Amino acid sequence: MAQDIPTSRVRRGTAMGKLVAVQAARGAGVALSTVRDSDEERALRIEQALADAAEDLVTVLGSMKGLAMKAGQLLSTFDVLSVFGTKSLTPQQRDRFQRKLSALYDSAPQVPYARMRAVVEAEYGQPLDQVFAEFDERPIGAASIGQVYRARLADGRAVAVKVQYPGVDVAVRADLKNLALVVRLLRTVMPALSDHALLRELTTHLAAETDYRVEAAQHDSVARMYRGHPFIRVPEVLLELCTRRVLVTELAEGLRFDEIAALPTAERDRVGEILFRFFAGTMLRERRFTGDPHPGNVLLAPDGTVVFLDFGLFKHMDDTAVDFEIACARAAAEFRAGDLRTLLVDYGVLEQDTTASAELCLRLFHEATGWLLTDAEIRIAEDTAATAILAFLDPRRGYFQHLRQQYAPAEHAIARRVEYGTLALLGQLRAGGNWHRIAREWFYGEPSRTELGVLEQQWLTEISQSAYGV
């Protein structure tokens, strides 16, 4: 069980440093010992080392909460082993590591109930039983900023109550200061980071996440946006019960992500399309998006609808930004290399004197986003997202030296987080589909070609007609 959350910048930075040092020492030990091992002994040693590494990550990042735990949750979504080139591991070893790490989004170390109850009562200024008729002491989820409990109101409604960890707001501010230091250290590698636009964006949004009133308003706007949708559900928010450190929504129940990933192929494909439509469609159609696609925020309800949770990071994009995203996607899909490079330069992503050729820009887009640009049925592999990200970061790919000076406006950088986070979810589901044909609904305004797309288009038409009194 978690004790007090470390809140000072030094303590949190030291904890992260020790974690990195331990993993480095452990990796060196495994490398030395496996020189003399048989193949069987080597496999056992590596599996144990991976299990220990995952346990350390869950324990340290989970107990730190805040931004540190959010980083761990992000790692749990991606196939991080492929980033480190561990292709020789067996499927069992890789699966064990990911399963251990996935504990960060649904079973991280918990803060004792007595301390969490004190937060609730301080927020409401009255005893817990005067606000809720029932309140289960056992949390049903442990997130990066707070724990979630099952409760019941006096009128019988079942609700989910997210309670903020005591002191986590101070911890987040400490993490953001440490993040600023890391960004400064990376300037020599990625000079564009010196602009700090992305850091300012993250600072604004992550600091806002510690005020649940902001999240409640954002959550409510998404719930209203998708009210009555045929296969997407966002729980309603009880705004009158939300405070700075307590967020109350209707209770949503269903299969968790690991259970969804174990379903038959057709069902996984269906959920995959819904995830894609929600995360990508909301951005491209509604000009808004939630910036935190990870397994802990998705449930499959008994009626077949997919439930989306957690709207602490929510972003509006102006029409110019979305039009730029669409124009780049169309140019890349149509192999118009010259137009793509011109778009990137004119928008300011690339410098006027960039060494990146039109052909290089086109090749990068197809390597990083080929699953979305290719008109074919594609089943997403578990390492697809990690491999796509490596296209930008791995000097061996041939893009890094040309693009290290690129400037990614903050909202587009967060949009890439959503894109690759969604891709990582699709990879964990091993979902298949013609993603390009779905995307053409937003890129070109073409009619839907899937059963789910037709249902969604009918719903959108009904909403439009209702708005105009038709």
Side-chain angles (χ1 to χ4, degrees):
M1 179 173 291
Q3 301 303 314
D4 288 349
I5 300 171
T7 56
S8 79
R9 180 180 177 183
V10 173
R11 285 184 63 194
R12 294 179 72 79
T14 300
M16 289 296 294
K18 287 181 177 178
L19 177 61
V20 172
V22 167
Q23 300 314 320
R26 177 177 289 132
V30 170
L32 290 173
S33 64
T34 55
V35 171
R36 297 182 300 275
D37 287 345
S38 66
D39 289 344
E40 183 177 354
E41 290 171 331
R42 178 177 179 276
L44 289 173
R45 284 183 182 277
I46 292 175
E47 181 173 1
Q48 185 59 53
L50 288 172
D52 291 343
E55 292 280 8
D56 286 347
L57 284 167
V58 171
T59 301
V60 175
L61 298 181
S63 64
M64 290 177 72
K65 309 297 185 186
L67 184 57
M69 183 173 167
K70 191 173 286 292
Q73 289 176 335
L74 188 62
L75 286 176
S76 74
T77 305
F78 291 90
D79 183 12
V80 295
L81 294 178
S82 67
V83 174
F84 297 113
T86 51
K87 297 295 186 181
S88 61
L89 299 180
T90 67
Q92 292 78 12
Q93 290 170 337
R94 298 169 69 86
D95 182 62
R96 179 175 178 180
F97 180 84
Q98 287 298 130
R99 280 190 288 108
K100 289 279 187 179
L101 199 55
S102 67
L104 280 169
Y105 64 76
D106 62 7
S107 57
Q110 299 169 2
V111 172
Y113 171 71
R115 299 196 63 212
M116 302 301 283
R117 175 171 181 155
V119 172
V120 178
E121 294 183 334
E123 288 296 291
Y124 290 130
Q126 56 185 314
L128 187 71
D129 56 13
Q130 292 187 19
V131 182
F132 302 99
E134 300 174 16
F135 198 98
D136 192 338
E137 296 184 9
R138 297 165 299 179
I140 58 176
S144 57
I145 304 296
Q147 279 174 193
V148 184
Y149 295 87
R150 186 192 318 268
R152 190 172 298 278
L153 301 178
D155 60 11
R157 283 180 293 172
V159 293
V161 183
K162 183 158 70 170
V163 184
Q164 192 174 117
Y165 301 119
V168 78
D169 53 341
V170 179
V172 167
R173 288 196 293 272
D175 285 342
L176 289 171
K177 290 178 181 178
N178 285 332
L179 177 61
L181 176 61
V182 171
V183 169
R184 287 197 295 272
L185 292 174
L186 286 175
R187 282 186 190 179
T188 57
V189 180
M190 297 290 285
L193 284 176
S194 62
D195 178 80
H196 289 305
L198 177 57
L199 179 60
R200 289 196 300 271
E201 186 83 1
L202 288 173
T203 300
T204 299
H205 283 284
L206 291 171
E209 281 196 63
T210 61
D211 187 340
Y212 282 167
R213 293 169 299 189
V214 175
E215 180 176 344
Q218 293 171 167
H219 188 141
D220 182 60
S221 69
V222 183
R224 287 187 281 107
M225 184 192 309
Y226 279 100
R227 193 170 290 158
H229 194 282
F231 49 80
I232 290 172
R233 179 184 161 205
V234 177
E236 298 291 335
V237 185
L238 282 72
L239 292 172
E240 69 277 10
L241 290 176
C242 295
T243 71
R244 184 174 67 87
R245 296 192 292 172
V246 177
L247 177 69
V248 183
T249 69
E250 64 172 324
L251 182 67
E253 298 186 280
L255 296 181
R256 292 180 177 271
F257 199 84
D258 58 344
E259 297 172 310
I260 300 172
L263 293 174
T265 300
E267 295 178 55
R268 287 187 281 108
D269 289 350
R270 177 181 179 275
V271 172
E273 181 178 341
I274 294 174
L275 293 178
F276 181 55
R277 288 186 175 279
F278 178 75
F279 288 115
T282 304
M283 180 176 70
L284 296 174
R285 185 183 63 240
E286 305 292 342
R287 275 43 179 172
R288 292 179 278 180
F289 62 89
T290 174
D292 203 11
H294 75 76
N297 294 340
V298 176
L299 297 171
L300 178 59
D303 63 0
T305 58
V306 175
V307 182
F308 292 90
L309 311 169
D310 196 335
F311 298 93
L313 179 55
F314 192 69
K315 179 70 182 173
H316 289 72
M317 292 185 76
D318 62 35
D319 289 343
T320 300
V322 176
D323 290 344
F324 169 73
E325 294 266 344
I326 293 175
C328 287
R330 290 178 61 164
E334 296 165 14
F335 294 91
R336 292 185 283 110
D339 291 344
L340 176 60
R341 186 182 185 279
T342 298
L343 284 166
L344 295 172
V345 171
D346 289 348
Y347 198 76
V349 173
L350 296 178
E351 298 287 346
Q352 289 286 343
D353 59 351
T354 179
T355 59
S357 67
E359 290 70 23
L360 181 139
C361 293
L362 181 63
R363 190 167 68 250
L364 173 61
F365 263 68
H366 276 270
E367 187 167 334
T369 321
W371 66 284
L372 188 58
L373 302 176
T374 306
D375 188 3
E377 290 285 330
I378 295 176
R379 188 160 299 281
I380 307 298
E382 289 186 80
D383 64 350
T384 300
T387 301
I389 292 172
L390 276 180
F392 294 95
L393 302 178
D394 188 347
R396 297 169 298 180
R397 300 290 186 91
Y399 306 110
F400 184 81
Q401 63 268 32
H402 298 285
L403 301 177
R404 63 190 294 268
Q405 296 278 0
Q406 72 171 332
Y407 168 74
E411 58 188 355
H412 294 286
I414 294 179
R416 296 291 72 73
R417 172 187 171 179
V418 176
E419 176 184 342
Y420 293 123
T422 304
L423 184 58
L425 293 181
L426 297 179
Q428 290 188 37
L429 289 178
R430 305 173 308 285
N434 190 322
W435 312 104
H436 178 72
R437 281 291 160 185
I438 297 172
R440 290 181 75 91
E441 298 174 23
W442 310 310
F443 293 163
Y444 297 94
E446 292 185 356
S448 303
R449 300 193 179 206
T450 69
E451 181 179 346
L452 290 175
V454 171
L455 287 174
E456 183 168 67
Q457 191 57 56
Q458 290 173 346
W459 174 74
L460 289 168
T461 300
E462 291 171 2
I463 288 179
S464 177
Q465 292 176 342
S466 177
Y468 287 99
V470 178

